[in-house]
């Protein structure tokens, strides 16, 4: 379904995100994407839908006309409306949104677990079963925890013996979570309650007596809480261990950085249960310190360290020069995914007994990015490469790194590889622009991958053969080739008549790959819209160099790339400026704000979700200009712009959006006055 078009070089004209902050992973990287929001290291890829997922029912939507005194010749007459939460939109007899969604199964002890949404549930539900073909039962349904569906399951971990589930709940889209514990056998919620937890994973020790988690100190008496509109900075992230059945005040403080209060901490226990690994980050860049502690040799166990105020961690990597993520270990011999001297990433190995001797297992590829690796089937690994923004899965030997087999997946995105090193059976979650979702089951017992469909998600009434996906490479202002996916109805006539929606992000090493969206399908099928996804610099699509080329002093490259992508859509006949809409969330909201500042003539509509608008540099707020500052004839009006934020967003606080809206307050007030009193514009 994918055609590649290379664009002639003649077409050369023209921060802070909903950041995935670093915290702890689970026992192995099988949960790397499943726990994306709270992973140890900033991931290089995110499903685009997740970037806007914090707009809960309590969110509010704000409209700004951004500069034009009269957008319409005739006054608008808004009809009175009735809100009915039970309504399901049906398009030509098909209720598109009401279809079941499934996640890849994962295993602990003798049980399987998976997530499922029956169709219109606000939150996905966690199920469990004794075997893959056994009867499934609900383990945890967050939908019953609030009337409006805004309490969400943030992160979770099942104990090694599958007797306990530790889970974190967030309310109204906040990053603050409360950790609870459930006894799986009878679904009894234990009294254990952990507060002031933020940017944390949960990692059990193999004895199932407790787990590691990260938190901030409780606020002092009288101190204001961060409710989502303040600009306070959370400081002094700490790593704790919680014993089941005890009060949080009894938790063991395992590590803190009082001299570096801005650091964030995350821990994970190795699959063999021998080590706890500590990841330390100072921001969102893919760099971290790496410490370890052999908890199997502690004289009094973790409990014996209570009076010492920390565990005896050994510092293997004590600088912020590169990223290190542990993939597997055989006692003291560790395999890491790293970008040390490898902007496209590689696998390396070191024996903790000889910390200065590192060997290369899989060298950096020439053009593809080694995005993730999961140890499976004893001494094998599944590696995922990102090749021109599409995933390629390979089975390799863990010891030598040699290629054993390619896994035959189609063009799209691998959302999850669910496996443990001890298992020969693994599950792969796959999606694409025209594939709602497929869960593959892969058996490695024979040595040759036996891949088959375990579960396929079907959207009633959707026929992927009605659409076509192409990938083009657009030269940016400096000549850099920018990949862009274009999804539209088949046989689209390039006469410039079609509405287009152009989406972008461009930041924090996050890669945008093909994904399925019902809302975009509806736009394409019923409104004739062409959906376009621009893989601009700042992301991780081509490794760390691509990321850095859209960061800091080079941030303008992001805007140039996006503008060039928009110009291509116009010059190639897909659309025209008045029919071209641009969209982005968080860091992508910044992108949209900057682009309408720089090229208001190029766009007919702008949608900015929870944007980062007020910063010291690259700030849309401080670069808003009046139409006559672009040209003497006032022809460069801002496009109609919709700014969206959320009232409980404590990551990209609403003040970013509210300040940008405030610019329009006087324009709106005096536009109203001028309309009422009949005042007209005088040059």
């Amino acid at each position: 379904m994918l055609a590649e078009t290379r664009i002639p070089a003649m077409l050369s004209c023209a921060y802070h995100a909903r950041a995935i902050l670093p915290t702890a992973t689970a026992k192995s990287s099988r949960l790397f994407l499943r726990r994306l929001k709270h992973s140890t290291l900033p991931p290089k890829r995110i499903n685009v839908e997740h970037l806007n997922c914090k707009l809960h029912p309590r969110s509010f939507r704000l409209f700004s006309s951004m500069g034009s005194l009269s957008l319409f010749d005739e006054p608008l007459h808004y009809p009175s409306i009735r809100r009915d939460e039970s309504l399901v939109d049906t398009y030509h007899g098909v209720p598109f949104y009401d279809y079941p969604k499934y996640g890849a199964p994962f295993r602990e002890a003798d049980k399987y677990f998976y997530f499922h949404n029956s169709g219109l549930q606000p939150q996905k539900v966690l199920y469990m079963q004794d075997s893959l073909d056994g009867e499934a039962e609900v383990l945890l349904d967050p939908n019953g925890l609030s009337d409006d569906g805004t309490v969400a399951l943030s992160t979770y971990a099942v104990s090694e013996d599958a007797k306990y589930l530790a889970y974190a709940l967030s309310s109204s889209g906040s990053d603050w979570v409360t950790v609870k514990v459930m006894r799986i056998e009878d679904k009894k919620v234990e009294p254990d309650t952990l507060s002031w937890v933020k940017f944390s994973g949960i990692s059990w020790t193999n004895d199932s007596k407790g787990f590691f988690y990260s938190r901030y100190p409780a606020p002092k008496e009288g101190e204001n809480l961060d409710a989502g509109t303040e600009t306070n900075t959370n400081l002094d992230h700490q790593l704790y261990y919680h014993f089941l059945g005890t009060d949080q005040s009894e938790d063991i403080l395992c590590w803190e950085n009082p001299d570096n209060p801005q650091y964030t901490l995350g821990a994970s226990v190795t699959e063999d249960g021998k080590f706890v690994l500590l990841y330390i980050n100072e921001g969102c860049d893919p760099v971290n310190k790496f410490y370890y502690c052999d908890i199997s040799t502690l004289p009094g166990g973790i409990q014996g360290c209570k009076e010492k105020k920390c565990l005896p961690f050994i510092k293997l990597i004590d600088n912020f020069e590169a990223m290190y993520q542990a993939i597997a270990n055989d006692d003291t011999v560790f395999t890491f995914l790293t970008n040390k001297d490898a902007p496209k990433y590689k696998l390396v190995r070191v024996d903790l007994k000889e910390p200065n001797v590192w060997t290369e297992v899989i060298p950096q590829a020439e053009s593809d990015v080694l995005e993730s690796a999961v140890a499976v089937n004893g001494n094998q690994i599944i590696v995922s490469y990102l090749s021109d923004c599409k995933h390629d899965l390979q089975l390799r030997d863990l010891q030598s790194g040699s290629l054993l087999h390619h896994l035959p997946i189609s063009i799209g995105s691998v959302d999850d590889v669910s496996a443990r090193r001890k298992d020969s059976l693994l599950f792969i979650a796959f999606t694409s622009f025209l594939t709602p979702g497929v869960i593959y089951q892969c058996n490695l017992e024979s040595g040759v991958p036996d891949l088959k469909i375990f579960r396929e998600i079907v959207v009633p009434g959707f026929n992927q053969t009605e659409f076509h996906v192409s990938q083009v490479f657009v030269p940016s202002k400096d000549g850099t080739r920018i990949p862009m996916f274009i999804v539209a109805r088949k046989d689209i006539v390039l006469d410039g008549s079609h509405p287009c929606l152009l989406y972008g992000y461009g930041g924090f090493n996050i890669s945008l790959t093909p994904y399925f969206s019902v809302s975009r399908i509806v736009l394409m099928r019923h409104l004739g819209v062409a959906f376009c996804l621009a893989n601009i610099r700042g992301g991780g699509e081509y490794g760390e160099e691509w990321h850095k080329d859209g960061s800091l002093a080079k941030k303008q490259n992001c805007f140039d790339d996006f503008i060039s992508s928009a110009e291509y859509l116009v010059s190639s006949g897909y659309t025209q400026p008045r029919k071209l809409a641009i969209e982005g969330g968080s860091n992508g909201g910044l992108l949209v704000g900057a682009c309408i500042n720089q090229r208001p003539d190029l766009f007919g509509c702008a949608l900015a979700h929870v944007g980062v608008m007020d910063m010291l540099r690259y700030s849309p707020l401080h670069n808003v200009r009046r139409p006559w500052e672009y040209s003497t004839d006032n022809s460069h009006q801002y496009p109609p712009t919709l700014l969206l934020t959320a009232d409980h967003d404590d990551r990209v606080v609403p003040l970013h959006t509210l300040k940008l809206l405030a610019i329009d307050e006087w324009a709106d007030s005096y536009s109203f006055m001028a309309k009422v009193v009949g005042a007209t514009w005088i040059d």
Side-chain angles (χ1 to χ4, degrees):
M1 300 295 290
L2 183 94
E4 178 179 291
T5 307
R6 300 190 181 274
I7 307 306
M10 65 174 66
L11 185 64
S12 58
C13 157
Y15 122 46
H16 185 100
R18 180 155 303 290
I20 312 303
L21 291 180
T23 52
T25 55
K27 291 182 180 179
S28 75
S29 56
R30 74 180 187 275
L31 298 181
F32 179 67
L33 287 174
R34 190 186 308 132
R35 296 187 180 175
L36 190 59
K37 185 178 178 184
H38 297 287
S39 61
T40 298
L41 300 166
K44 299 193 286 290
R45 184 192 165 276
I46 185 170
N47 185 312
V48 181
E49 290 288 276
H50 295 166
L51 298 178
N52 298 331
C53 68
K54 299 190 75 174
L55 295 175
H56 293 295
R58 294 188 61 188
S59 304
F60 51 91
R61 288 151 170 79
L62 305 168
F63 174 75
S64 166
S65 58
M66 292 296 288
S68 176
L69 283 179
S70 180
L71 290 175
F72 307 97
D73 293 330
E74 299 295 331
L76 291 175
H77 299 285
Y78 290 96
S80 55
I81 60 173
R82 176 180 61 86
R83 186 174 184 85
D84 185 352
E85 297 288 354
S86 66
L87 180 67
V88 176
D89 289 329
T90 300
Y91 297 91
H92 299 272
V94 180
F96 274 96
Y97 279 93
D98 191 4
Y99 69 96
K101 298 93 176 171
Y102 292 90
F106 61 98
R107 185 178 181 181
E108 290 294 349
D110 58 349
K111 296 185 184 300
Y112 285 92
F113 304 84
Y114 67 94
F115 283 96
H116 172 56
N117 187 312
S118 62
L120 298 177
Q121 294 171 292
Q123 308 293 338
K124 57 189 178 182
V125 179
L126 179 60
Y127 286 79
M128 69 174 180
Q129 52 192 154
D130 293 330
S131 64
L132 289 175
D133 55 359
E135 184 178 354
E137 58 180 303
V138 173
L139 179 60
L140 178 63
D141 183 359
N143 296 291
L145 300 178
S146 63
D147 293 334
D148 58 4
T150 60
V151 171
L153 178 60
S154 173
T155 191
Y156 59 92
V158 177
S159 62
E160 177 78 4
D161 57 10
K163 290 184 177 180
Y164 294 97
L165 168 71
Y167 57 99
L169 300 175
S170 69
S171 299
S172 302
S174 174
D175 283 323
W176 289 108
V177 300
T178 300
V179 178
K180 306 286 290 183
V181 177
M182 176 189 291
R183 194 166 63 194
I184 290 178
E185 183 180 15
D186 56 7
K187 303 183 182 64
K188 179 180 180 294
V189 178
E190 302 287 354
D192 305 57
T193 301
L194 309 182
S195 303
W196 310 114
V197 181
K198 195 175 190 180
F199 309 137
S200 176
I202 299 170
S203 191
W204 291 85
T205 45
N206 279 19
D207 58 12
S208 299
K209 291 182 179 180
F211 51 85
F212 292 95
Y213 72 100
S214 305
R215 58 163 291 187
Y216 287 100
K220 298 175 182 177
E221 187 175 352
E223 194 173 25
N224 288 332
L225 304 183
D226 186 351
T229 56
E230 289 76 16
T231 55
N232 301 335
T233 300
N234 300 124
L235 299 174
D236 300 310
H237 211 218
Q238 299 166 317
L239 177 67
Y240 277 89
Y241 184 84
H242 174 74
F243 280 98
L244 286 183
T246 65
D247 189 80
Q248 187 176 15
S249 62
E250 299 297 314
D251 289 355
I252 310 296
L253 176 61
C254 299
W255 193 260
E256 60 180 344
N257 278 292
D259 295 332
N260 298 282
Q262 76 280 12
Y263 286 179
T264 52
L265 313 175
S268 63
V269 177
T270 54
E271 194 165 342
D272 62 7
K274 183 177 176 65
F275 297 94
V276 59
L277 312 178
L278 176 63
Y279 297 87
I280 302 176
N281 294 77
E282 63 174 351
C284 295
D285 283 342
V287 296
N288 63 279
K289 296 183 178 184
F290 180 87
Y291 303 166
Y292 67 91
C293 176
D294 187 343
I295 54 179
S296 68
T297 61
L298 296 176
I302 297 175
Q303 181 68 48
C305 298
K306 184 171 185 177
E307 302 304 322
K308 299 178 181 179
K309 294 292 186 183
C310 67
L311 296 184
F313 281 101
I314 296 175
K315 301 176 180 179
L316 180 65
I317 304 294
D318 198 28
N319 57 59
F320 290 116
E321 292 180 356
M323 182 210 85
Y324 294 85
Q325 181 190 3
I327 300 302
N329 72 292
D330 292 291
D331 194 24
T332 59
V333 179
F334 274 74
T335 302
F336 287 93
L337 175 67
T338 183
N339 56 12
K340 172 68 173 175
D341 302 322
K344 291 184 175 62
Y345 294 79
K346 62 183 179 181
L347 285 192
V348 295
R349 183 169 293 130
V350 66
D351 190 332
L352 301 180
K353 297 175 182 177
E354 299 181 81
N356 296 319
V357 181
W358 293 74
T359 58
E360 207 170 66
V361 181
I362 300 180
Q364 174 182 229
E366 182 177 345
S367 57
D368 297 344
V369 179
L370 178 54
E371 193 172 77
S372 67
V374 180
V376 297
N377 199 29
N379 288 305
Q380 295 178 335
I381 48 174
I382 300 289
V383 296
S384 177
Y385 280 96
L386 193 57
S387 178
D388 281 335
C389 313
K390 307 172 291 289
H391 282 115
D392 173 38
L393 279 186
Q394 302 174 5
L395 178 66
R396 289 179 175 259
D397 182 81
L398 176 59
Q399 301 305 316
S400 67
S402 59
L403 176 64
L404 302 176
H405 298 279
H406 282 277
L407 271 66
I409 61 170
S410 56
I411 295 170
S413 303
V414 174
D415 284 339
D416 189 13
V417 176
S418 177
R420 302 178 300 182
R421 187 175 178 182
K422 67 183 79 171
D423 294 333
S424 60
L425 190 67
L426 62 116
F427 298 89
I428 301 164
F430 174 85
T431 187
S432 72
F433 289 117
L434 301 179
T435 304
V438 177
I439 308 296
Y440 291 103
Q441 178 179 308
C442 183
N443 195 325
L444 301 174
E445 199 168 15
S446 69
V448 178
D450 179 16
L451 194 69
K452 65 180 182 180
I453 294 178
F454 173 73
R455 182 172 281 140
E456 187 168 10
I457 297 173
V458 176
V459 178
F462 168 66
N463 182 359
Q464 64 173 245
T465 63
E466 296 179 10
F467 306 93
H468 178 71
V469 180
S470 62
Q471 186 180 33
V472 299
F473 292 83
V474 179
S476 188
K477 187 175 182 179
D478 63 359
T480 302
R481 295 168 70 250
I482 308 302
M484 178 168 61
F485 291 104
I486 302 176
V487 192
R489 295 190 69 120
K490 275 189 175 178
D491 304 321
I492 184 172
V493 179
L494 300 183
D495 58 2
S497 65
H498 311 286
C500 265
L501 176 61
L502 175 61
Y503 193 98
Y505 188 75
F508 297 89
N509 202 35
I510 292 172
S511 303
L512 303 185
T513 58
Y515 67 98
F516 187 80
S517 166
V518 166
S519 60
R520 305 278 161 77
I521 294 295
V522 170
L523 289 179
M524 291 186 290
R525 182 176 182 182
H526 300 296
L527 295 178
V529 174
F531 172 65
C532 310
L533 180 65
N535 296 104
I536 63 178
R537 281 172 285 186
E541 286 86 350
Y542 292 100
E544 188 57 14
E545 292 175 347
W546 191 260
H547 168 218
K548 290 181 177 177
D549 277 347
S551 304
L552 302 174
K554 297 182 178 180
K555 188 65 178 175
Q556 181 60 39
N557 285 337
C558 299
F559 313 144
D560 290 340
D561 295 351
F562 203 57
I563 289 170
S564 296
S565 299
E567 290 177 327
Y568 167 79
L569 293 172
V570 173
S571 65
S572 298
Y574 282 94
T575 191
Q576 51 189 289
R578 69 182 183 87
K579 289 179 171 286
L580 176 57
I582 55 174
E583 183 181 23
S586 193
N587 175 76
L590 161 66
L591 172 70
V592 168
C595 287
I596 61 174
N597 277 341
Q598 296 182 15
R599 288 295 306 275
D601 60 304
L602 187 56
F603 313 111
C605 176
L607 308 173
H609 306 262
V610 290
V612 189
M613 303 299 190
D614 179 19
M615 307 200 308
L616 293 177
R617 295 183 176 88
Y618 322 117
S619 172
L621 174 66
H622 300 125
N623 287 281
V624 172
R625 290 190 286 175
R626 294 167 292 186
W628 52 87
E629 293 178 299
Y630 289 99
S631 63
T632 56
D633 61 359
N634 297 334
S635 61
H636 290 71
Q637 296 280 3
Y638 275 87
T641 299
L642 186 66
L643 303 177
L644 299 97
T645 188
D647 59 359
H648 279 73
D649 194 332
D650 45 33
R651 193 181 301 179
V652 181
V653 297
L655 290 178
H656 282 279
T657 295
L658 299 179
K659 287 181 181 179
L660 187 59
L661 281 169
I663 291 177
D664 263 356
E665 181 178 349
W666 292 111
D668 289 342
S669 299
Y670 291 143
S671 296
F672 173 77
M673 179 202 73
K675 182 71 174 178
V676 172
V677 302
T680 57
W681 189 266
I682 302 174
D683 288 324

